[in-house]
Structure formats: structure tokens, C-alpha cells
């Protein structure tokens, strides 16, 4: 009985000795690598933080949109940290080829599954980067006219002039035609007024020119212009062209219609409406 107990104790000591020797061997082999990898990991995170701060300052100086700035910083952070983890894994002896292949396959699968969303995402990046329009601009796109309320990463939110909310995917805006109505400081107001064929064309032109010149909101340069632009079915059409500051476009546009109507009435100039003469011919039986 004592011999059996002694044999068991001896075997246990031998096993412990083997484990200890193996542990020391592994520690001597991988210990320095692990310590070095941890140092690289810590220093790497510090370097990534410094890089992100530098990129943040550079984007601020370049006046990059805040939404795009946050997104770019997050993407750069993820990429750098992923590279750092791969370096750390390779330093401690982990096979990284299979890890990279797995990440690539997963990225491909996600890209195929979110193809439409990625197109909208890429469109949002292009809009925020190249700025064909910005928040509070009035644009016309995809059949809608409205003020840009918000530019998101996947969609752009418009408020129409009658306060309806329209959500337009960014892929359509980045690849389609967009009219930015008031992006410039000045804009030309073009309005056509019709007078009767029996009215004095020169007098009507002089009257229109006086109305344009008298409005203080209309710029003096470039000069106001009044042309006979068309001999229509029931009227002679006069085209007025005047330049205003963009903020004054709609007030001037609507006021001119009122002022011209009142001035025409005072000066006996008629604004014709479509007419049709009907002739009845009787046939003799």
C-alpha cells in the first residue's frame, strides 16, 4: 500500500516537473515575443491617437463638413486599429494569412448584400466632399424643389416650399442632375409680359424699363433689359431681364407682376387673354 502511494507521488512529481520545464521553455520562447508585441500594441494605439488628432486638425483647416469629418476619422481609426491587431497577432505567432482571407471574404459578402446602401453611402461621401449643395440651399432634383434640411450619409432630406419632407437617396443625387437655385450671390429675374397688338410697343417698353429702374432691390449692373421676344397668337410678348441679390429673387419676382399690372391699367395698356373667333356659315338648301 505504501509502495503504491509512493509511486503515485513520484509520478505526480514527474508530471509537475515536465509541466514546469515545458512552461519555462514556452516562456523562454514566446515570452519576449509577447512582451514585445504588447509594447508594440500600446505604442501603436498611442501613435494611432496622434495620427487621428493630426488628421482632425487638417480636416478642420480644410473646412471639411463635420459629418464627413467624423466619418473619415472613424474609418481611419478602424483601418489603423485593424492593421495593428494583425501585426500584434503575427508577432505572437498567429497565422495571419487565414485571418486576412476570412476578413476579405466577410467584406465581400457584406458588400454584395449591401450594394444599394453602399452606393448611397458613396454618394453621400461625394456630396459632402465636393459640395454641389449644402444645408439650407434650395435645389431642384429628382422632380422635387425644396430647401436642403440635412445631408445624411445615405440620404438627403428636403423640405419642399409647402413644407413637405422628401427623402432622396444620395446615389441619385450624386449621379443625377441637380439645380442649385441660389448658390450664387446674384440671380437674373426673367419675366414675360403680353400686350395687345393694338397697344404702343415702344410706350410699353419704356414703362417696363421705368418700373425696373425704380425698384431699389434691382441691381444697376448689369443693366436692366426689355425686349420684344415673341409675336404670340393673341399678344405681343415683352421680355424683362433684371439682376437681383439671390435673397431678393422671389420678392422682386412677385412684386413685378403686381406693379406691371397696375401700371398697364393706369396707362391704358391691355393685357390680352386668349381669344377665338367663331364664324357660322349657313348653307342654303
Amino acid at each position: 500500500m505504501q509502495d503504491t502511494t509512493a509511486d503515485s507521488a513520484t509520478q505526480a512529481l514527474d508530471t509537475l516537473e515536465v509541466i514546469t520545464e515545458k512552461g519555462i521553455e514556452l516562456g523562454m520562447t514566446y515570452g519576449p515575443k509577447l512582451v514585445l508585441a504588447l509594447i508594440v500594441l500600446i505604442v501603436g494605439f498611442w501613435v494611432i491617437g496622434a495620427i487621428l488628432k493630426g488628421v482632425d486638425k487638417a480636416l478642420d483647416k480644410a473646412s471639411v463638413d463635420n459629418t464627413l469629418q467624423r466619418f473619415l476619422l472613424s474609418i481611419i481609426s478602424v483601418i489603423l486599429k485593424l492593421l495593428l491587431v494583425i501585426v500584434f497577432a503575427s508577432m505572437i505567432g498567429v497565422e495571419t494569412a487565414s485571418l486576412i482571407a476570412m476578413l476579405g471574404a466577410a467584406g465581400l459578402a457584406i458588400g454584395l448584400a449591401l450594394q444599394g446602401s453602399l452606393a448611397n453611402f458613396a454618394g453621400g461621401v461625394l456630396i459632402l466632399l465636393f459640395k454641389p449643395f449644402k444645408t439650407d440651399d434650395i435645389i431642384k432634383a429628382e422632380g422635387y424643389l425644396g430647401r436642403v434640411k440635412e445631408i445624411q450619409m445615405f440620404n438627403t432630406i428636403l423640405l419642399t416650399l409647402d413644407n413637405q419632407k422628401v427623402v432622396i437617396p444620395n446615389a441619385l443625387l450624386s449621379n443625377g442632375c441637380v439645380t442649385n437655385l441660389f448658390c450664387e450671390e446674384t440671380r437674373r429675374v426673367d419675366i414675360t409680359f403680353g400686350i395687345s397688338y393694338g397697344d404702343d410697343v415702344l410706350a410699353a417698353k419704356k414703362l417696363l424699363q421705368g418700373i425696373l429702374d425704380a425698384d431699389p432691390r434691382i441691381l444697376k449692373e448689369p443693366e436692366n433689359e426689355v425686349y420684344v421676344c415673341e409675336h404670340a397668337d393673341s399678344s405681343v410678348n415683352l421680355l424683362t431681364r433684371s439682376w437681383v441679390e439671390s435673397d431678393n429673387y422671389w420678392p422682386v419676382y412677385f412684386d413685378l407682376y403686381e406693379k406691371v399690372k397696375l401700371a398697364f391699367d393706369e396707362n391704358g395698356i391691355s393685357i390680352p387673354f386668349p381669344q377665338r373667333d367663331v364664324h357660322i356659315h349657313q348653307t342654303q338648301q
Side-chain angles (χ1 to χ4, degrees):
M1 184 67 178
Q2 293 180 353
D3 293 339
T4 302
T5 303
D7 292 340
S8 299
T10 302
Q11 291 178 359
L13 290 174
D14 292 340
T15 302
L16 180 61
E17 184 178 354
V18 170
I19 293 174
T20 303
E21 291 177 355
K22 191 65 175 178
I24 294 173
E25 181 182 352
L26 291 174
M28 295 295 293
T29 302
Y30 295 101
K33 293 182 180 181
L34 180 60
V35 173
L36 181 60
L38 289 174
I39 294 174
V40 170
L41 187 65
I42 295 171
V43 173
F45 278 115
W46 180 83
V47 172
I48 290 173
I51 292 174
L52 292 176
K53 289 181 180 179
V55 173
D56 190 17
K57 292 181 179 179
L59 293 176
D60 282 336
K61 291 182 179 180
S63 300
V64 177
D65 185 88
N66 289 333
T67 303
L68 180 59
Q69 184 173 332
R70 292 194 300 271
F71 167 73
L72 291 177
L73 289 174
S74 63
I75 289 294
I76 294 173
S77 176
V78 170
I79 293 175
L80 292 178
K81 288 177 181 178
L82 183 60
L83 292 175
L84 180 61
V85 170
I86 293 175
V87 171
F88 174 80
S90 63
M91 291 184 67
I92 62 176
V94 176
E95 185 64 35
T96 57
S98 58
L99 177 62
I100 294 174
M102 182 179 66
L103 292 175
L108 179 60
I110 293 173
L112 292 175
L114 301 176
Q115 189 173 10
S117 298
L118 290 177
N120 291 327
F121 171 76
V125 172
L126 292 175
I127 291 172
L128 292 171
L129 188 62
F130 294 105
K131 298 180 179 179
F133 56 85
K134 61 183 184 298
T135 303
D136 290 332
D137 281 354
I138 295 179
I139 66 171
K140 183 189 299 182
E142 299 299 316
Y144 296 98
L145 172 65
R147 185 181 298 275
V148 179
K149 180 182 179 182
E150 185 180 359
I151 303 174
Q152 301 175 348
M153 293 309 303
F154 294 95
N155 303 293
T156 293
I157 310 299
L158 290 186
L159 285 181
T160 62
L161 301 183
D162 57 349
N163 209 34
Q164 297 184 57
K165 181 178 179 180
V166 180
V167 180
I168 303 178
N170 286 332
L172 298 178
L173 294 176
S174 63
N175 294 309
C177 297
V178 178
T179 302
N180 195 329
L181 275 67
F182 300 106
C183 61
E184 301 295 334
E185 294 182 357
T186 59
R187 188 177 171 189
R188 194 177 71 188
V189 182
D190 294 356
I191 304 179
T192 300
F193 299 99
I195 64 173
S196 173
Y197 274 94
D199 292 325
D200 189 337
V201 173
L202 296 180
K205 288 182 61 177
K206 184 178 180 180
L207 183 61
L208 290 174
Q209 189 71 53
I211 293 173
L212 298 178
D213 293 339
D215 195 320
R217 297 168 298 181
I218 296 178
L219 303 177
K220 304 306 179 183
E221 292 292 337
E223 293 183 358
N224 302 315
E225 300 171 318
V226 181
Y227 299 106
V228 176
C229 65
E230 184 182 13
H231 293 165
D233 293 339
S234 58
S235 65
V236 177
N237 292 334
L238 304 179
L239 173 65
T240 63
R241 290 178 174 177
S242 55
W243 288 87
V244 298
E245 294 180 357
S246 294
D247 292 339
N248 290 329
Y249 179 87
W250 289 119
V252 170
Y253 181 88
F254 293 119
D255 283 352
L256 283 179
Y257 275 106
E258 181 179 349
K259 289 179 178 180
V260 169
K261 177 63 170 68
L262 295 175
F264 279 5
D265 290 344
E266 290 177 1
N267 291 272
I269 298 175
S270 60
I271 300 177
F273 49 86
Q275 301 180 41
R276 176 172 297 180
D277 293 333
V278 178
H279 301 273
I280 301 175
H281 298 277
Q282 292 183 349
T283 58
Q284 296 180 354
Q285 296 181 353

